[in-house]
Amino acid sequence: MSAAPETPAPLLINGEAATGHGPILDAIDPATGRVSARYQTATSADIEAAVKAARESFARGTWRDKKPHERATVLFEASRRIAEAAEVLAHLQMSQNGKTLKECRTQAKAAAATFRYFASVCETMEGDLTTPRGDYLSMTVYEPIGVVALITPWNSPLAMEAQKLAPALAAGNSVILKPSEITPGTGLALGRIVCEAGLPPGVLNVLNGTGLAVGDPLVRHKEIGMISFTGGTATGRAIARIAAERLIPVALELGGKSPHIVFADADLDRAVDGVFGGIFDALGQSCVAGSRLFVERPLYRSLVDRLIERANALMLGPPADPASGQGPLASFAHRERVEHYVELARADGGRILAGGARPEDASLSQGAYYRPTIIEGLANEARACREEIFGPVLCVLPFDHETDLIKQANDSAYGLAAGLWTRDISKAWRVARQLEAGTVWINTYRELSIATPFGGMKESGLGREKGRQGVRLYASTKSIYLSLAGGA
Ligand code: NDP
């Protein structure tokens, strides 16, 4: 499992492997605590070189000016190559963020599907001929913005990097990807594959390094015309401030504290599966994790008891082992953060019904493992119910009345996602429309499609990724009036 660390790995600038000049970054395998690979990071000179390469490629028009079907051909080829490399990509992600191999495989396939989807969107993109109100033709066209910075987190890098790269490239931009320092490998690997699929040099560049050393200078760089960011709300807000100062567009996919609601008339078996997977799949390291569970009182005890049973039975283990239900958390620092929140919950009077500790199994002691945790007895105002823990911690709260439930569910700074379980379709629709969330699931959870817009309300973000309009996020709208007066 622990191959000798690869050292040092290069950056990707102007279509070529480049030697970074910054400090070496160790990628730690959270299942073992060992270094899985070593990466060179970028200095300000490397950032300049990448921005220059991207800017010049855009100015040359080698990608921007290609016809959409020509760009689509390259994106289709990228999709094919990503699918071919899925197994390698899956192992790479697993060795850096500890997600199970099964989930990493799914995400590698999803990355290929995302490129295929945006290749199709690219091939079928249209401008608009708008209804004239005078003697002219009025057209609206969608043009690439220029050089776009894509900044990604560690929880699902394969999926998220593809989700930003594919539409940004489909729109005709040149891009610079800055992956998380926890998972520097997948962005570099994806970048190489997409370049080899036929992108002209300079159109796709990858810079590894920390948020402060590489992310922040990129966001401030005068040649960067747009920023697309996924990560924590505090970082997103800091980036938005800089973007506001520079008056450039920014797309932000931020955190969540999603309410998951079970009414007394729900199908109990399906609700247990949905609620359990909604928080404990990926160990809650998912922006849409259903981390606040509201259960209508008549069903409360039976549902919570079933969840406790499932949590205690969840098998933690090496992520490559098919018998492991879940692996470790993505990093040791992150586990400490999760533990801190569980201590806060205890101090606020929360009763730990399951988990609340590292596993006792000695064979897991070298990894960043943490048991799935269920807490009751907290008020919705407690910090563990208000702040994003991003870990395997479920806070359960009973409710009696729909009006009060909706008030509590919406009493959050976040508005990314929500789920509800009921057999009453009128109630489902009524409640779904009142929930302040960018995505609402009814009798299902964590169902995500590249064809469906995704993003958050309130402090969960700005803009919508995915779907046909996902390309427009990376485009500038231009309206052209062509006079028909005094015709030839
Ligand atoms: P961050 O928001 O800090 O990091 C996300 C990305 O932004 C990383 O590539 C990071 O670089 C980069 N970054 C950090 N600071 C800056 C900056 N000032 N300017 C530009 N880029 C920057 O997330 P964390 O990894 O620290 O996680 C913190 C919390 O955020 C999590 O516990 C969770 O609550 C939330 N989160 C939400 C995610 C989501 O999907 N919505 C995903 C990940 C985290 P680097 O890490 O290399 O320093």
Side-chain angles (χ1 to χ4, degrees), residues 98-132:
K99 280 198 166 180
T100 60
L101 187 55
K102 184 171 170 238
E103 181 166 358
C104 293
R105 283 179 172 141
T106 304
Q107 294 195 338
K109 285 183 192 145
T114 295
F115 268 85
R116 193 184 64 228
Y117 176 81
F118 281 110
S120 310
V121 172
C122 185
E123 180 124 26
T124 55
M125 279 188 306
E126 291 175 341
D128 306 314
L129 195 59
T130 50
T131 309

Side-chain angles (χ1 to χ4, degrees), residues 258-263 266 271 275 292-296 303 399 405-406 409 418-422 431 435 441 443 445:
S258 300
H260 205 156
I261 300 159
V262 184
F263 287 97
V275 169
R292 283 185 302 150
L293 174 64
F294 295 95
V295 190
E296 201 164 15
L303 180 82
F399 73 91
L405 159 79
I406 290 168
L420 65 100
W421 297 80
T422 173
V431 174
L435 289 170
W441 288 289
N443 295 334
Y445 203 85

Side-chain angles (χ1 to χ4, degrees), residues 151-155 178 181 211 215 229 232 235 254 287 337 388:
I151 302 178
T152 50
W154 43 261
N155 57 327
K178 204 301 274 179
E181 64 184 286
F229 169 82
T235 314
L254 308 177
C287 51
R337 192 169 177 269
E388 185 177 44

Side-chain angles (χ1 to χ4, degrees), residues 51-64:
V51 173
K52 183 168 179 281
R55 181 71 230 167
E56 287 179 359
S57 73
F58 192 73
R60 280 195 302 274
T62 46
W63 180 246
R64 168 191 80 175

